[in-house]
Amino acid sequence: ETGVTQSPTHLIKTRGQQVTLRCSSQSGHNTVSWYQQALGQGPQFIFQYYREEENGRGNFPPRFSGLQFPNYSSELNVNALELDDSALYLCASSLALNEKLFFGSGTQLSVL
Amino acid sequence: GDSVTQMEGPVTLSEEAFLTINCTYTATGYPSLFWYVQYPGEGLQLLLKATKADDKGSNKGFEATYRKETTSFHLEKGSVQVSDSAVYFCALSGGDYKLSFGAGTTVTVRA
């Protein structure tokens, strides 16, 4: 049990819709990262937030956006959903930059 | 850019067998190397890590040695148990903010 919780656990959307995924970081953690894990693949880095500011971004289009709140919880928003966005989305928090990551169990998104 | 290549699975073993999962990497500079494990229905967990050449990471009977000369970080366990059945991911961090993962290797241990 890592203390990182994600909601919802499963979600079904249709192409073109928008989705918001939520993550509650482990207590005291000020850094959160989001990863996309397609079926049979390793997680791919989407972006990281540190103290409410985006600190780095992977090779994902602008329709993937995020927020980190003052309590360090976080959201991942995806606009104009595409079929290829179907994946497990993982949130990970850490005590600070470059510290050990604690992963949540993920949100399984299916786009039909 | 940074990348990780790991042995394709699935791997099926009998209890008490020896496990090796190969991992090689490409990176500029001197990355930190990791093995993560994902048990069914759970999130990724850090299994072990090594931060410099010749370091050996170990945990729960698993070991991996950072080999700079062969750019490898192979995972080994001498005697696996049914509870070791999981997906194993090799990963690296170049000192920046992200982890680069391999594709994962599914390991099934049969009693």
Side-chain angles (χ1 to χ4, degrees):
Chain A
E1 188 72 30
T2 66
V4 178
T5 57
Q6 294 186 241
S7 63
T9 54
H10 295 83
L11 198 54
I12 299 174
K13 290 287 189 178
T14 56
R15 193 170 48 182
Q17 285 188 312
Q18 178 267 342
V19 69
T20 298
L21 310 182
R22 294 180 173 82
C23 173
S24 177
S25 300
Q26 189 157 323
S27 178
H29 287 194
N30 61 20
T31 305
V32 65
S33 302
W34 285 91
Y35 287 80
Q36 180 196 66
Q37 186 179 3
L39 188 65
Q41 301 294 319
Q44 298 291 315
F45 175 75
I46 302 175
F47 43 56
Q48 182 187 75
Y49 280 80
Y50 171 64
R51 294 186 173 180
E52 303 178 58
E53 298 288 330
E54 185 179 292
N55 186 57
R57 189 178 183 91
N59 189 27
F60 280 80
R63 59 190 185 83
F64 285 77
S65 63
L67 281 173
Q68 187 182 29
F69 300 100
N71 66 356
Y72 300 136
S73 65
S74 176
E75 287 182 354
L76 165 65
N77 298 290
V78 187
N79 293 323
L81 283 167
E82 301 177 0
L83 297 179
D84 285 349
D85 296 333
S86 296
L88 180 68
Y89 288 85
L90 297 168
C91 167
S93 72
S94 58
L95 198 56
L97 291 173
N98 297 322
E99 293 290 330
K100 178 181 175 181
L101 293 179
F102 292 83
F103 283 85
S105 299
T107 294
Q108 184 67 54
L109 173 65
S110 299
V111 183
L112 306 178
Chain B
D2 296 347
S3 67
V4 173
T5 301
Q6 66 181 99
M7 187 174 86
E8 291 186 15
V11 175
T12 302
L13 301 165
S14 297
E15 226 172 5
E16 300 183 3
F18 184 85
L19 171 67
T20 299
I21 304 175
N22 290 338
C23 171
T24 58
Y25 67 90
T26 302
T28 54
Y30 303 96
S32 294
L33 301 174
F34 307 84
W35 278 99
Y36 279 82
V37 59
Q38 190 172 37
Y39 298 104
E42 298 184 17
L44 287 166
Q45 300 175 27
L46 178 63
L47 181 59
L48 53 84
K49 71 176 185 179
T51 58
K52 61 182 188 296
D54 300 325
D55 265 3
K56 178 185 283 188
S58 61
N59 186 26
K60 299 181 180 180
F62 290 89
E63 293 183 341
T65 301
Y66 189 143
R67 301 289 188 197
K68 183 173 179 291
E69 63 277 11
T70 55
T71 62
S72 65
F73 193 55
H74 305 321
L75 182 68
E76 297 181 336
K77 186 172 185 181
S79 178
V80 294
Q81 305 299 313
V82 172
S83 58
D84 294 324
S85 298
V87 183
Y88 293 83
F89 293 92
C90 186
L92 71 81
S93 173
D96 56 8
Y97 40 79
K98 68 176 184 179
L99 286 169
S100 298
F101 286 89
T105 302
T106 300
V107 174
T108 302
V109 181
R110 294 183 173 169

